[in-house]
Amino acid sequence: MTGQNVVVVESPAKAKTINKYLGSDYYVLASYGHIRDLPPKDGSVQPDADFAMEWEVDGRAKKRIDEIAKACKGAKALFLATDPDREGEAISWHIQEELTKRKVLAPISVQRVVFNEITKSAVTNAMANPRDLNKELIDAYLARRALDYLVGFTLSPVLWRKLPGAKSAGRVQSVALRLICEREAEIEAFKPREYWSIDAQLAAADGTPFAARLTHLNGKKLDKFDLGDKSAAETALAAVRSGGHQVQAVERKQVKRHPAPPFTTSTLQQEASRKLYFGATKTMTLAQKLYEGIQLGGEAVGLITYMRTDSTTMSGEAIAAARGMIEDVYGSDYLPSGPRQYRTKAKNAQEAHECIRPTSMRRRPEDVARYLEPDQRKLYELIWKRAVACQMESATLDQVAVDIDTADKSARLRASGSVVRFDGFLTLYIESEDDKDDEDKEGGRLPDLKEGDRPGLLNADANQHFTQPPPRFTEASLVKRMEELGIGRPSTYASILKVLQDREYVRLDKRRFQPEDRGRLVTAFLSSFYDKYFDYAFTAGLEEQLDDISGGRIDWKTVLRDFWKAFRGITDKAMELTGQEVREKIDAVLGPHFFPPDEKGDTEAARKCPSCGNGRLSLNFGRYGAFITCSNYPDCKLTRNLDEAGNLNGDSPDATEYPRLLGIDPETGLDVAVRQGPYGYYVQLGEAEKDAKGKTKTKPKRASLLKTMEPSTIDLETALRLLSLPRLLGDHPESKLPVAAGIGRFGPYLKHGDAYVSLPKDDDVLTIGLNRAVTVLAEAGPKGKGRASVAKELGPHPSDGKPISLGSGRFGPYVKHGNIYASIPRGTEPDAVTLEQAIELIAAKAAKKAAGKSAGPKQSGAKKAAAKKSTAKKSAAKKAKSKKSKAKKAPARKAS
């Protein structure tokens, strides 16, 4: 790109839009996000080398950085225009570091530009005002990345060894998981409390009905639980029905309700969840598209400002545009005398940016609706309304409270209501709330009542209520709680919630989070042995330190040193824990969950073994996770998976009916039964064959039940279909390789040649056909979730006619012939590999394999001899040490 200026952004959509704005003197290309990361292996962060960090260019990003490096050769200048936040600064830093390493930056200047919106004026203004990379923001990124890596790669091995079945843990994700688990424990421990209310229907003199509630009885103001049972409620009801009701006081006041500030990342996620039922990930994906640009009449235009921000600040230009539009569309009554200014208390790096708002207030939702997909339109409308409403006049409400006494003054009722006198911003936008109590809701309009009026009693009822447990978290309320506690950063919330669900630590049920038992086990372990590091206050304090790094107030390595020294010590102690110590601690923490207490609060009744009658049930751990077992093992062989723990001594027939015979397999004549093991339910064909010594000779065929299946309703037909898996669906129309469906350790899957792809939740492994399977495989792509490799046939091998196939596996693309796998060299596009090239690669690999085998026996013999010699030396040394020890101890024994 000789003589041109090179501009690097993150996404190709953004690159296309910006290229139009800047013209032919600039060449804009995309990095596609991060180009480097810490390799997922031990040693990528080295605490003993002052936290040196080893970076690796991602395989998929190599092509991108090659293109950037090529573009920079002969260029006038390099402008790094990645996103305007801490992560964007880090991406620019990685690009600069990698290009410096390749020695392509020496003759050209490197500058950083940021723009909060992708409009022509914003982009050209940013290009005219470049700056250097911000060292403090980069240091904050490095500190966060190092902390997350050290916690993950130090803690996860502890979990794998001490808590079988646990997948991994993260510095912030585990604290979010703790919030969900502790809320669930509150719900389980909650004891509902009874209370009553007296509600009356009265009518004014003109016949207009209105509602009132008893607030005072016999001169005493009633608290929530003063009417605690039916008897007390009936006494109060009689007082209300005694008649002679008269208005004693009327209180009127006018209040103003002010608009909410414009959106930040957190509040956008919350409102999109409440109003649109969008998850945090979906909200951020849609917002990203609106930010990067939408085609409006042939031109790509960014519709909103940058969507990762903690700031509620709005630029003066945007405020002026909003005020002008409000006056034109809604009139001067809806325009406050001066602009509204909002400030946020957040003090991290993203505070420097604006709020989330439309790039043009005049671009109304109805004007762009035809260019947007339905969900994009809904989100844009939400952002537009909030941004405009925040500059509108406050709403004015008249609130009225009326006290009404009975004739004997024994009971006082209160009627309350509010009337909107001027709707102000409410004409455009009303903010939603989570889990608002019915008692907190404002009443409607009341009739015009005056002191001395005598309304008539139409009806009065005593209503029973019970206190409710705290509600489970929705995505909105969890994000709000995390922000209140200072845990994580709003820009990371979407990924945190996704990780918790992907690891199957939590699930969303009716839009509310429920912890899985696996998640509760991890939380119990961390809160028992790493309590300080997953404490809310500690995590929030660490976030403040990261903010201090980004503000240049503290050195990033000082933060790492202080954290690591103590964390390493705790981890060393955790690795010394015995299995029994872990079991006992977690069993004590989660006992009330798995063995619910009776009315007296005693959990021991639920722990009594229903099989042997005198054993005590408790948690145990096997290779694949936790399960329930009896203390009399091995005499009592009762085991249950965790899902059945609460029903072991209950009324559920599932507690004792397994194995349950379903019928006879018509092909083999063997019994088919549904059974229960430590890790769940399964169906089994026949019984294990044993030899004369009682050892298992052949194992019966088994198949796990799907998560959606109820073991109590499984029938013979379904069981036989499960046992028939994996089933062949047919040959793939393009690769001609067989496609099969089955169930594995990680759930239902499709097998295509050597490829395994997880089956989507909406598809049934028992009924899926070839056409749908081909679609699923295509959607998964060559690197789809759960895919080991994706093969396609190149042609027959000339030696034996067997097919040569092309695939992509764990270690990269390869060609395969029989049992020979030959890696495709780096820099070679897999799709460009010809049959002739594949034959050469396979021949080279076969020759290498043959050479290795011929050299193998000599090498193996040498190794065996060396090992034998080493073992002999160790044995001799051990015997000598033993004799020396006995010689020392002998006199002492003699003297005694």
Side-chain angles (χ1 to χ4, degrees):
M1 299 302 150
T2 305
Q4 278 188 314
N5 295 299
V6 176
V7 181
V8 179
V9 296
E10 287 187 38
S11 75
K14 196 190 300 184
K16 193 179 293 184
T17 305
I18 293 171
N19 207 33
K20 291 180 181 178
Y21 294 155
L22 296 179
S24 59
D25 288 341
Y26 294 85
Y27 178 59
V28 187
L29 66 168
S31 72
Y32 288 76
H34 274 286
I35 60 155
R36 301 196 309 183
D37 199 1
L38 296 169
K41 63 180 183 180
D42 286 335
S44 294
V45 178
Q46 302 165 33
D48 295 336
D50 202 21
F51 300 97
M53 301 169 79
E54 175 189 321
W55 300 99
E56 180 180 80
V57 174
D58 183 87
R60 291 170 296 181
K62 184 180 182 299
K63 183 178 178 182
R64 311 301 170 198
I65 194 65
D66 287 346
E67 289 175 355
I68 295 169
K70 183 179 178 181
C72 286
K73 291 177 181 177
K76 289 194 295 186
L78 171 65
F79 292 91
L80 299 170
T82 50
D83 289 345
D85 60 2
R86 192 182 293 170
E87 205 70 16
E89 203 75 16
I91 292 171
S92 287
W93 174 77
H94 278 301
I95 293 169
Q96 185 183 43
E97 289 286 299
E98 186 63 24
L99 293 177
T100 301
K101 186 177 171 183
R102 295 182 179 208
K103 299 179 181 179
V104 297
L105 292 182
I108 65 175
S109 66
V110 181
Q111 294 179 304
R112 173 83 165 111
V113 294
V114 293
F115 31 82
N116 195 43
E117 58 187 70
I118 302 178
T119 58
K120 188 169 185 178
S121 60
V123 171
T124 53
N125 183 59
M127 295 297 293
N129 296 280
R131 62 168 172 80
D132 292 331
L133 283 170
N134 187 309
K135 181 180 181 301
E136 287 77 16
L137 292 185
I138 294 165
D139 286 348
Y141 160 79
L142 292 173
R144 182 183 292 276
R145 194 69 192 86
L147 283 170
D148 290 342
Y149 172 91
L150 289 171
V151 170
F153 273 81
T154 304
L155 188 54
S156 293
V158 178
L159 285 174
W160 298 334
R161 289 185 61 179
K162 304 300 179 183
L163 197 68
K167 292 188 175 179
S168 58
R171 184 179 63 86
V172 180
Q173 297 99 312
S174 297
V175 182
L177 175 62
R178 184 174 185 171
L179 274 170
I180 295 169
C181 292
E182 289 186 347
R183 175 60 60 88
E184 194 70 19
E186 285 182 64
I187 294 169
E188 290 173 349
F190 181 80
K191 301 294 182 186
R193 187 173 174 185
E194 182 183 10
Y195 68 98
W196 291 69
S197 66
I198 309 298
D199 298 292
Q201 285 288 323
L202 299 100
D206 62 359
T208 305
F210 63 95
R213 175 166 287 187
L214 179 68
T215 58
H216 293 71
L217 187 64
N218 297 322
K220 179 193 172 186
K221 185 177 180 181
L222 293 174
D223 289 330
K224 185 172 187 174
F225 299 105
D226 282 346
L227 302 181
D229 54 36
K230 186 175 182 180
S231 175
E234 287 178 345
T235 299
L237 181 60
V240 171
R241 289 175 173 173
S242 63
H245 297 85
Q246 184 175 13
V247 175
Q248 296 299 314
V250 179
E251 180 185 345
R252 302 179 190 274
K253 61 180 178 180
Q254 195 172 83
V255 296
K256 284 188 176 291
R257 185 181 294 177
H258 306 297
F263 280 133
T264 62
T265 302
S266 168
T267 53
L268 176 62
Q269 290 174 5
Q270 292 173 50
E271 278 290 84
S273 175
R274 297 182 192 116
K275 279 188 161 69
L276 307 178
Y277 303 138
F278 290 172
T281 300
K282 180 175 182 177
T283 298
M284 296 309 290
T285 300
L286 292 169
Q288 181 90 32
K289 291 178 181 177
L290 294 175
Y291 164 69
E292 289 181 349
I294 299 292
Q295 290 290 329
L296 301 182
E299 182 183 0
V301 178
L303 295 186
I304 65 169
T305 54
Y306 191 56
M307 65 286 162
R308 292 187 179 91
T309 175
D310 293 331
S311 176
T312 55
T313 302
M314 188 180 285
S315 71
E317 182 183 350
I319 291 174
R323 286 174 60 81
M325 203 215 64
I326 292 166
E327 186 169 26
D328 291 348
V329 176
Y330 297 96
S332 58
D333 289 344
Y334 288 84
L335 187 68
S337 58
R340 293 185 183 276
Q341 300 288 349
Y342 296 93
R343 293 287 181 268
T344 181
K345 295 178 181 177
K347 58 180 181 181
N348 62 14
Q350 293 173 198
E351 169 60 9
H353 309 313
E354 267 198 88
C355 61
I356 303 171
R357 61 164 177 82
T359 53
S360 172
M361 299 294 183
R362 294 281 179 178
R363 196 175 287 122
R364 302 175 69 178
E366 54 267 33
D367 298 333
V368 297
R370 66 183 184 277
Y371 302 108
L372 303 177
E373 294 173 4
D375 287 342
Q376 291 175 342
R377 178 190 58 75
K378 291 175 185 176
L379 190 66
Y380 178 73
E381 184 177 24
L382 192 70
I383 293 168
W384 184 88
K385 284 185 174 181
R386 177 88 164 221
V388 174
C390 82
Q391 291 300 321
M392 295 180 78
E393 185 60 88
S394 301
T396 304
L397 289 78
D398 284 344
Q399 291 185 342
V400 182
V402 181
D403 290 329
I404 304 164
D405 286 355
T406 55
D408 59 4
K409 307 291 186 184
S410 61
R412 170 170 289 183
L413 302 165
R414 168 160 281 206
S416 58
S418 63
V419 177
V420 176
R421 289 299 179 193
F422 174 67
D423 57 2
F425 74 93
L426 294 176
T427 194
L428 184 62
Y429 185 86
I430 301 174
E431 187 178 25
S432 302
E433 293 184 57
D434 285 304
D435 306 309
K436 190 170 182 180
D437 196 305
D438 287 340
E439 294 181 15
D440 296 333
K441 292 178 181 177
E442 296 173 351
R445 183 187 294 268
L446 289 177
D448 189 15
L449 298 168
K450 301 181 183 62
E451 289 184 20
D453 285 355
R454 293 182 176 276
L457 180 66
L458 302 176
N459 189 29
D461 290 304
N463 297 306
Q464 184 184 36
H465 308 276
F466 290 94
T467 53
Q468 297 297 309
R472 291 190 177 102
F473 286 111
T474 61
E475 286 204 22
S477 59
L478 182 60
V479 165
K480 183 178 181 181
R481 185 63 182 141
M482 291 173 69
E483 187 176 35
E484 289 171 350
L485 292 171
I487 296 169
R489 281 291 170 254
S491 58
T492 65
Y493 290 160
S495 62
I496 288 171
L497 302 186
K498 185 176 185 301
V499 165
L500 292 180
Q501 293 174 79
D502 288 347
R503 290 177 181 167
E504 297 182 333
Y505 286 163
V506 302
R507 68 180 184 277
L508 267 177
D509 183 20
K510 297 178 182 177
R511 299 183 57 243
R512 293 186 180 270
F513 284 112
Q514 280 188 264
E516 299 283 13
D517 286 330
R518 176 183 288 163
R520 298 183 79 138
L521 288 165
V522 170
T523 296
F525 182 88
L526 296 178
S527 61
S528 297
F529 303 110
Y530 282 87
D531 185 49
K532 172 186 173 182
Y533 294 94
F534 295 94
D535 174 74
Y536 304 136
F538 179 85
T539 307
L542 205 53
E543 291 293 346
E544 289 179 4
Q545 287 183 295
L546 291 170
D547 292 340
D548 287 339
I549 294 170
S550 67
R553 295 180 290 274
I554 188 173
D555 177 63
W556 69 285
K557 289 190 176 179
T558 299
V559 173
L560 291 180
R561 291 185 199 106
D562 292 345
F563 174 88
W564 178 247
K565 183 178 179 181
F567 188 77
R568 179 73 259 178
I570 292 289
T571 299
D572 290 342
K573 289 180 182 178
M575 290 298 278
E576 294 171 1
L577 292 168
T578 65
Q580 184 176 353
E581 287 175 316
V582 174
R583 284 195 301 272
E584 288 178 352
K585 188 69 176 178
I586 294 180
D587 185 76
V589 173
L590 294 180
H593 167 61
F594 292 119
F595 309 103
D598 58 20
E599 294 178 357
K600 298 178 182 177
D602 182 21
T603 63
E604 288 306 308
R607 285 182 180 268
K608 185 178 179 181
C609 178
S611 180
C612 67
N614 60 1
R616 185 177 186 271
L617 302 174
S618 60
L619 278 175
N620 206 339
F621 295 98
R623 183 179 176 185
Y624 299 114
F627 59 96
I628 304 298
T629 188
C630 177
S631 59
N632 287 334
Y633 179 86
D635 295 331
C636 177
K637 291 184 170 56
L638 179 136
T639 59
R640 292 289 187 269
N641 65 349
L642 298 183
D643 292 341
E644 289 298 312
N647 288 327
L648 284 172
N649 289 287
D651 298 328
S652 170
D654 291 353
T656 55
E657 70 173 344
Y658 298 104
R660 180 167 66 87
L661 184 65
L662 300 176
I664 307 279
D665 176 21
E667 290 188 13
T668 63
L670 298 174
D671 289 342
V672 178
V674 58
R675 298 169 178 260
Q676 185 184 33
Y679 308 109
Y681 293 95
Y682 60 92
V683 290
Q684 179 173 305
L685 178 66
E687 298 288 344
E689 290 185 24
K690 297 188 177 181
D691 59 19
K693 294 181 180 180
K695 291 185 177 180
T696 300
K697 189 166 64 174
T698 57
K699 292 182 179 180
K701 187 168 185 180
R702 293 175 175 177
S704 298
L705 267 61
L706 297 170
K707 287 184 178 181
T708 54
M709 292 179 172
E710 286 291 335
S712 59
T713 60
I714 289 293
D715 56 20
L716 178 62
E717 182 185 356
T718 305
L720 290 173
R721 290 168 73 188
L722 286 169
L723 289 165
S724 70
L725 296 175
R727 62 189 183 92
L728 183 66
L729 306 182
D731 290 340
H732 195 285
E734 294 178 8
S735 68
K736 308 303 180 186
L737 295 170
V739 178
I743 301 174
R745 181 179 171 189
F746 303 108
Y749 64 83
L750 292 174
K751 185 174 186 289
H752 170 218
D754 296 331
Y756 289 86
V757 176
S758 296
L759 196 65
K761 291 180 180 179
D762 294 336
D763 288 297
D764 185 353
V765 68
L766 299 177
T767 60
I768 189 170
L770 180 62
N771 290 341
R772 172 59 185 160
V774 169
T775 301
V776 171
L777 292 168
E779 289 174 348
K783 295 183 179 178
K785 181 181 178 184
R787 172 153 291 194
S789 63
V790 178
K792 75 173 182 180
E793 220 169 278
L794 295 177
H797 196 285
S799 65
D800 56 11
K802 290 182 179 179
I804 295 176
S805 58
L806 171 71
S808 176
R810 182 180 175 189
F811 303 106
Y814 62 82
V815 289
K816 174 180 178 286
H817 172 238
N819 61 354
I820 296 177
Y821 291 80
S823 296
I824 295 173
R826 285 191 175 187
T828 303
E829 283 291 332
D831 290 338
V833 173
T834 64
L835 178 62
E836 291 72 23
Q837 288 173 314
I839 292 169
E840 290 178 11
L841 290 169
I842 288 166
K845 183 61 183 266
K848 187 176 179 182
K849 200 173 181 181
K853 281 184 178 179
S854 63
K858 292 180 183 179
Q859 193 177 19
S860 176
K863 281 185 177 179
K864 282 181 180 177
K868 193 173 182 181
K869 190 174 181 181
S870 175
T871 304
K873 278 185 177 181
K874 287 180 181 177
S875 179
K878 192 173 180 182
K879 283 179 181 178
K881 188 177 179 182
S882 177
K883 284 181 181 179
K884 192 174 180 181
S885 175
K886 285 178 181 177
K888 281 184 179 180
K889 290 181 180 178
R893 283 200 207 93
K894 192 174 181 180
S896 62

